[in-house]
Amino acid sequence: IFSIFMAVKLEDEIQQKTNVQRESVESAINKLHDVEQLIIRARFYEEKTLEEIGKCLGISKEGVRKKEKKAIEKLKFILRKD
């Protein structure tokens, strides 16, 4: 019984940490410029390709890749800072 209780408690702690991390990432994304937010959400939440995003934005696949790279660097900075 004790080990079941500990497993449930550990699972709850993991879920809480995951929720906090998810909120931190979402908060960091919200600090990006609109186009950067769109690219990050499309790539990592909607699993769109660079080409698909480029068509929506009217820019090349390479342009999307560059903006994505810049946005990821900004996110790393924001998340380290917070």
Side-chain angles (χ1 to χ4, degrees), residues 12-79:
D12 287 345
E13 289 177 17
I14 291 170
Q15 186 63 40
Q16 288 173 358
K17 287 180 183 178
T18 301
N19 290 340
V20 169
Q21 289 172 339
R22 189 175 291 122
E23 290 170 7
S24 294
V25 169
E26 192 58 37
S27 175
I29 290 171
N30 289 334
K31 293 176 183 176
L32 299 174
H33 294 293
D34 291 344
V35 172
E36 293 169 331
Q37 287 182 37
L38 187 146
I39 290 170
I40 294 298
R41 289 192 172 103
R43 285 289 283 159
F44 299 103
Y45 290 86
E46 301 171 23
E47 299 180 9
K48 302 279 186 196
T49 65
L50 295 173
E51 189 172 353
E52 290 171 324
I53 298 167
K55 285 180 182 177
C56 290
L57 296 176
I59 60 177
S60 69
K61 185 169 110 173
E62 183 62 20
V64 175
R65 188 194 66 73
K66 288 178 182 177
K67 289 179 185 299
E68 176 191 48
K69 182 178 179 183
K70 183 177 178 182
I72 290 170
E73 290 303 315
K74 284 183 178 182
L75 285 173
K76 287 178 183 177
F77 177 78
I78 292 166
L79 289 167

